[in-house]
Amino acid sequence: MTTLVYLIPVALFLGALGLSGFLWALRSGQYEDLDGAAERILIEPDQREGDGRRSN
């Protein structure tokens, strides 16, 4: 029973820490462009627009 006195506040603290980390990431724009990173990996470097370097 005495271990619950320690484990419950630790679990609540870790949950609040995880929630605050998620909210911080949400507010800082980490989830704005989910498809951009997935599509960028498929584009070859010489096919990107605006980089000024094109190989022939």
Side-chain angles (χ1 to χ4, degrees):
M1 190 70 171
T2 59
T3 57
L4 289 178
V5 173
Y6 297 113
L7 289 179
I8 290 175
V10 168
L12 291 175
F13 174 73
L14 289 176
L17 187 66
L19 181 63
S20 64
F22 172 71
L23 291 176
W24 171 78
L26 192 64
R27 288 187 185 143
S28 68
Q30 294 291 321
Y31 298 108
E32 291 295 322
D33 185 21
L34 295 177
D35 294 329
E39 292 173 1
R40 253 191 315 267
I41 197 150
L42 298 174
I43 299 172
E44 300 215 14
D46 58 348
Q47 292 178 350
R48 291 187 183 160
E49 295 179 20
D51 63 356
R53 297 177 299 174
R54 302 224 175 206
S55 62
N56 292 332

